Amino acid sequence: MTHTLSLMIMSGVEDGKLLELGAESGDGASNAAGWTLTIGRLDARDIRLTKDTFISREHAHLTLRDGQWWLCDKHSKNGTFIE
C-alpha cells in the first residue's frame, strides 16, 4: 500500500510551510503494523523543524495504523499538543 502525507505547518517560524511525505520516497519507516514518521530538529528526522527552538531534537512520532493517525510524544521538553 502507498502511504502519503501532506502536512502544513500552521504556526511558528515555519508557518505556511507545506511538507509532502511518502513511504515510496523513503520517508519514514513502513512495516506490517503501519507507517511511522519521526518529528524533531535533527536532520535524521522525517519531519524536520530545524528553525523552531521549541521542538526537541527527537520530539514525537506520527504513526498511521489501521487508517488512523497516532501521535506519540518522545519525552520532549515542551510537550506535544493537538488543536
Side-chain angles (χ1 to χ4, degrees):
M1 178 181 281
T2 302
H3 298 299
T4 61
L5 174 67
S6 296
L7 179 71
M8 180 171 285
I9 309 301
M10 299 297 291
S11 65
V13 296
E14 298 188 67
D15 185 22
K17 182 178 180 179
L18 179 64
L19 304 172
E20 300 284 347
L21 302 154
E24 289 184 347
S25 301
D27 298 318
S30 294
N31 58 35
W35 181 40
T36 299
L37 298 162
T38 56
I39 304 169
R41 285 193 336 255
L42 289 177
D43 285 340
R45 301 299 127 220
D46 301 304
I47 300 170
R48 288 176 298 283
L49 303 170
T50 58
K51 297 176 185 175
D52 192 332
T53 58
F54 290 100
I55 298 291
S56 298
R57 290 175 294 228
E58 182 175 357
H59 196 88
H61 289 173
L62 189 59
T63 301
L64 178 62
R65 184 173 46 230
D66 297 326
Q68 294 186 13
W69 286 102
W70 296 86
L71 180 65
C72 177
D73 186 87
K74 301 308 286 183
H75 307 289
S76 64
K77 181 179 177 183
N78 293 310
T80 301
F81 304 92
I82 298 174
E83 288 188 31

